């Protein structure tokens, strides 16, 4: 049985082979949707912790160039994750057929 849904494909918070984006088509209630929600929650929590660490590091006058380069690299990775989450949520928020966004 094929289930048809009006939901837009969900951009998942991880990539597939060769860094290509992964999408999920469904009603948003299944196992993969819940897993994606959990991964997004972890990624956002890690971004918050990284920002706190960055604040501490920037206020430490003895921070080395290597430490600063490392935190910048982690910030870039985290920004990619947060950007993917924002794109995914924005696409789902404006999906056609949503009750709170009539066409």
């Amino acid at each position: 049985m094929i289930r048809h849904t009006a939901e837009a494909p969900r951009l998942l918070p991880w990539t597939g082979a060769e860094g290509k984006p992964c999408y999920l088509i469904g009603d948003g209630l299944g196992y993969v949707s819940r897993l994606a929600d959990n991964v997004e929650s972890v990624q956002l929590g890690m971004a918050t912790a990284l920002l706190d660490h960055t604040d501490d590091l920037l206020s430490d006058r003895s921070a080395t160039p290597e430490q600063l380069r490392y935190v910048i690299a982690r910030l870039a990775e985290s920004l990619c994750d947060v950007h993917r989450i924002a794109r995914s949520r924005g696409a789902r928020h404006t999906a056609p057929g949503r009750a709170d966004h009539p066409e």
Side-chain angles (χ1 to χ4, degrees):
M1 178 176 167
I2 298 175
R3 225 172 38 180
H4 297 282
T5 178
E7 295 293 321
R10 176 182 181 170
L11 176 63
L12 295 172
W14 55 79
T15 57
E18 301 172 6
K20 294 183 180 183
C22 293
Y23 294 90
L24 174 66
I25 298 173
D27 58 10
L29 303 174
Y31 172 78
V32 176
S33 291
R34 289 190 308 275
L35 179 62
D37 291 341
N38 288 336
V39 170
E40 286 180 356
S41 179
V42 168
Q43 289 173 327
L44 293 172
M46 289 172 58
T48 299
L50 181 58
L51 287 170
D52 290 342
H53 177 66
T54 302
D55 286 342
D56 293 342
L57 191 59
L58 289 175
S59 65
D60 180 1
R61 306 287 275 157
S62 65
T64 66
E66 291 79 16
Q67 289 173 311
L68 295 172
R69 277 194 295 277
Y70 182 81
V71 79
I72 289 169
R74 302 299 71 80
L75 285 168
E77 291 169 354
S78 183
L79 183 58
C80 287
D81 291 340
V82 171
H83 183 253
R84 185 182 306 111
I85 292 167
R87 286 186 3 242
S88 176
R89 291 182 179 182
R92 285 181 282 147
H93 185 68
T94 59
R98 286 187 48 110
D100 57 344
H101 278 76
E103 295 177 25

